[in-house]
Amino acid sequence: GAQLARSTTVMAEEKKIGEKFKGNDFLESTEEKIKLYQYWYSKATISALVDECEEYGKKVAFLSTPSIYFSMDQKSPLYKRSRLFDFDKAFASDPGFVFYDYRNPGGIPSSLRYTFDFIVIDPPAVTDKVLKFYAKAAKLLLKSRSKSSLWQCCGHSRLADSSDGRIIISSLAGKDHATLMYDLFNVKPCSFLPSIPNLMYQYHFYTNYDSPRLSKPNPDQPVPDPKKTSVRSRLKDFGSQK
């Protein structure tokens, strides 16, 4: 009886997750690789981020966000100008793919540096060390009105207001974490919460600009999921094929 009840609960949960992926070609055809810390956003969350890119971006850098990149209109000029920076070479056949190991931001090709006006980031973990790597990558990719788009603040290098571009990045909530995100990326938390069905953590979006769309609750995730934790995730064996 108990085993049957658990099986029924699991099946119901899987069906619920499936509904959040249904109708998006990428989500329906691309499995998450846990070893690479791939956890896709729901269809509704992806749609909102695609709308943001299309409304504000002219050339978008997608850092570790293949679900958003491949959900854009692949015939559009914006898609053709944009690039996916990702570790997973399964996406390498796409003309916009750029191999990217977050631990080596210096490996970003010089021809792509300071050429993007919009960046979307979904780091595989949210430790200080990992986020600092992404901050360096964002500095190298965003257009800037000055020679240096970083300020030194509180022991961190922060993207300055002179950076001529927009950022959306996902991370955890909390006052201390929000301070870190501001120190590194010059971003503030949004009301729009991402729905990430298979992730045990409740993430939040941060931006460095005011977005009417992201200032409202996400109908797909109106409040933080009480089943999920805001304890920092730990990154182990990233890229391991074991």
Side-chain angles (χ1 to χ4, degrees), residues 109-146:
S110 57
S111 61
L112 295 176
R113 296 183 182 187
Y114 314 113
T115 64
F116 296 88
D117 66 343
F118 202 116
I119 294 183
V120 185
I121 305 172
D122 184 23
V126 290
T127 62
D128 293 21
K129 184 177 181 180
V130 172
L131 291 170
K132 287 176 183 178
F133 281 130
Y134 276 92
K136 290 179 181 178
K139 173 200 172 184
L140 290 173
L141 291 169
L142 277 180
K143 292 180 178 179
S144 175
R145 293 189 295 270
S146 66

Side-chain angles (χ1 to χ4, degrees), residues 172-184 187-189 206:
L172 293 177
K175 183 177 180 181
D176 291 342
H177 198 71
T179 299
L180 174 66
M181 296 298 290
Y182 182 75
D183 286 345
L184 289 176
V187 294
K188 297 180 180 179
Y206 292 76

Side-chain angles (χ1 to χ4, degrees), residues 76-91:
S76 69
L78 177 61
Y79 180 85
K80 295 175 182 178
R81 288 192 296 265
S82 300
R83 295 292 182 271
L84 170 64
F85 294 82
D86 204 272
F87 188 84
D88 190 353
K89 292 183 179 179
F91 305 127

Side-chain angles (χ1 to χ4, degrees), residues 1 8 25 29 48 61 79 94 105 127 138 143 169 177 187 206-207 237:
T8 303
D25 291 343
S29 64
Y79 180 85
D94 187 89
T127 62
K143 292 180 178 179
I169 180 170
H177 198 71
V187 294
Y206 292 76
T207 68
D237 303 323

Side-chain angles (χ1 to χ4, degrees), residues 227-242:
K227 297 179 182 178
K228 297 187 177 184
T229 178
S230 288
V231 176
R232 292 197 178 204
S233 60
R234 300 300 177 189
L235 186 65
K236 296 180 181 179
D237 303 323
F238 176 81
S240 170
Q241 301 302 316
K242 296 179 181 180

